[in-house]
Amino acid sequence: MTENLQLYQQLILEHNKHPRNFGDLPDATHSAEGYNPLCGDRLTLKLKVAEDGKIEAVRFSGDGCAISRASASMMTQALIGKTVAEADALSADFLNMLKDRSFASDKLDAMGKLKTFSGIWQFPARVKCAALSWHAYRASMGEGHQRVSTE
Ligand code: ZN
């Protein structure tokens, strides 16, 4: 557990300091804005989905706490190269993992780096920070430009 917590903190700090795929995506096909009023996290998520249904590029921008930024950064890495159907399934698993302390261990192994966030149910106020970018992803796959709030 201590080892997990250290890994969790290191990865979060590292992604917060050097967020991956941070910035604008001018030729985006999908976008959404996310807001978490409890913490003040705001992000804009943009994705480019190819005609074959594969996610070619994902970028995010905005201001937020370390957990929201690290979660968005790791999410962009996880989504690029996936089909929208695969990404939809992953987002459902991730959001379940955040809340469920008994999330199936075989599913957990398939989460890769994202399982960094699997202990976050212990910090209820932080669950929404970690979930924000994934809610924005789900909103972006709706019709047109979407806004989502965790409240
Ligand atoms: Zn936050």
Side-chain angles (χ1 to χ4, degrees):
M1 196 62 219
T2 310
E3 202 173 296
N4 278 345
L5 201 62
Q6 277 173 2
L7 177 73
Y8 160 85
Q9 286 169 338
Q10 276 172 15
L11 261 173
I12 290 192
L13 291 175
E14 203 273 325
H15 275 262
N16 177 47
K17 210 170 170 187
H18 305 288
R20 314 303 196 276
N21 303 299
F22 188 84
D24 194 21
L25 187 64
D27 56 349
T29 57
H30 296 72
S31 66
E33 284 171 44
Y35 177 45
N36 173 17
L38 275 189
C39 180
D41 309 314
R42 287 180 186 279
L43 69 84
T44 300
L45 182 71
K46 295 194 174 183
L47 300 98
K48 185 180 179 188
V49 179
E51 280 183 15
D52 65 1
K54 269 209 174 132
I55 298 171
E56 282 188 351
V58 187
R59 296 263 177 87
F60 79 101
S61 57
D63 276 317
C65 68
I67 289 175
S68 70
R69 278 165 65 92
S71 180
S73 174
M74 285 188 228
M75 182 190 79
T76 63
Q77 291 187 309
L79 296 186
I80 292 170
K82 288 204 164 48
T83 65
V84 169
E86 288 166 345
D88 286 351
L90 184 64
S91 70
D93 282 346
F94 185 87
L95 291 169
N96 284 332
M97 179 186 78
L98 290 185
K99 287 181 238 163
D100 183 2
R101 56 200 295 175
S102 57
F103 190 72
S105 57
D106 57 327
K107 276 196 168 186
L108 200 56
D109 286 337
M111 298 298 274
K113 267 197 284 186
L114 297 174
K115 70 180 172 191
T116 306
F117 294 96
S118 65
I120 209 146
W121 55 265
Q122 299 166 86
F123 312 101
R126 303 265 80 117
V127 168
K128 285 175 179 171
C129 302
L132 180 64
S133 55
W134 292 86
H135 284 305
Y137 163 74
R138 294 179 75 85
S140 75
M141 290 298 143
E143 286 287 309
H145 188 83
Q146 306 285 317
R147 279 171 201 274
V148 63
S149 172
T150 56
E151 291 304 301

